Amino acid sequence: MQLHIILAALTCVLGISLGQLLFKKAALSMPTAPDWIDWAFNGWLVTALILYAVTTVGWVWVLRNAPLSLAYPFMGLAFIIVPLLARWWLGEAVTVHTLAGGALILAGVALAAKSA
């Protein structure tokens, strides 16, 4: 894959990962029994949805320019990025098991991509 396609794929993975954190912030900011207005005007949720929309368009561009078997393994990085960002931004615990599981997923996806 060309460098600009790799950078675009990495940008998409980072966007998806940030979107997950924004969805979590949206969930944490909701009242116990949210009304439709709580959903519609939740800034975290709106931002996450916009980021997901933009990232999806970017991902479609990546897939137009690279085989899925080469592009998709980049999404495995989210299994490492999300917990690390959740630790940094949300103060969530990251265990050795979480990181080891993410590494195993990355290894499996990379192995599958090599065989494609």
Short mmCIF file of all heavy atoms in Angstrom, two decimals, residues 83 86-87 91-95 98:
data_model
loop_
_atom_site.label_atom_id
_atom_site.label_comp_id
_atom_site.label_asym_id
_atom_site.label_seq_id
_atom_site.Cartn_x
_atom_site.Cartn_y
_atom_site.Cartn_z
N PRO A 83 -8.22 1.21 24.62
CA PRO A 83 -7.92 1.11 26.05
C PRO A 83 -6.88 2.12 26.54
O PRO A 83 -7.00 2.66 27.63
CB PRO A 83 -7.40 -0.33 26.22
CG PRO A 83 -7.91 -1.07 25.06
CD PRO A 83 -8.01 -0.08 23.94
N ALA A 86 -8.60 5.42 26.72
CA ALA A 86 -9.55 5.40 27.84
C ALA A 86 -8.80 5.57 29.16
O ALA A 86 -9.30 6.22 30.09
CB ALA A 86 -10.35 4.10 27.84
N ARG A 87 -7.62 5.03 29.25
CA ARG A 87 -6.80 5.20 30.45
C ARG A 87 -6.39 6.66 30.59
O ARG A 87 -6.50 7.26 31.66
CB ARG A 87 -5.56 4.31 30.36
CG ARG A 87 -4.53 4.56 31.42
CD ARG A 87 -5.02 4.04 32.76
NE ARG A 87 -4.01 4.26 33.77
CZ ARG A 87 -4.27 4.82 34.94
NH1 ARG A 87 -5.47 5.21 35.25
NH2 ARG A 87 -3.31 4.98 35.81
N GLY A 91 -9.43 7.83 32.65
CA GLY A 91 -8.89 7.27 33.88
C GLY A 91 -9.26 5.81 34.10
O GLY A 91 -9.19 5.32 35.23
N GLU A 92 -9.66 5.11 33.04
CA GLU A 92 -10.02 3.71 33.17
C GLU A 92 -8.78 2.84 33.33
O GLU A 92 -7.71 3.18 32.84
CB GLU A 92 -10.83 3.24 31.95
CG GLU A 92 -12.19 3.90 31.86
CD GLU A 92 -13.06 3.32 30.76
OE1 GLU A 92 -12.61 2.41 30.04
OE2 GLU A 92 -14.20 3.78 30.63
N ALA A 93 -8.94 1.74 34.01
CA ALA A 93 -7.83 0.82 34.23
C ALA A 93 -7.50 0.07 32.94
O ALA A 93 -8.40 -0.30 32.18
CB ALA A 93 -8.19 -0.18 35.32
N VAL A 94 -6.22 -0.11 32.71
CA VAL A 94 -5.76 -0.95 31.60
C VAL A 94 -4.89 -2.04 32.22
O VAL A 94 -3.87 -1.75 32.83
CB VAL A 94 -4.94 -0.14 30.57
CG1 VAL A 94 -4.40 -1.05 29.48
CG2 VAL A 94 -5.78 0.97 29.97
N THR A 95 -5.34 -3.26 32.05
CA THR A 95 -4.61 -4.37 32.65
C THR A 95 -3.67 -5.01 31.63
O THR A 95 -3.80 -4.79 30.42
CB THR A 95 -5.58 -5.45 33.16
OG1 THR A 95 -6.25 -6.03 32.02
CG2 THR A 95 -6.61 -4.86 34.13
N THR A 98 -5.68 -6.96 29.19
CA THR A 98 -6.25 -6.16 28.10
C THR A 98 -5.22 -5.95 27.00
O THR A 98 -5.52 -6.14 25.82
CB THR A 98 -6.75 -4.80 28.62
OG1 THR A 98 -7.74 -5.02 29.63
CG2 THR A 98 -7.32 -3.96 27.50
#
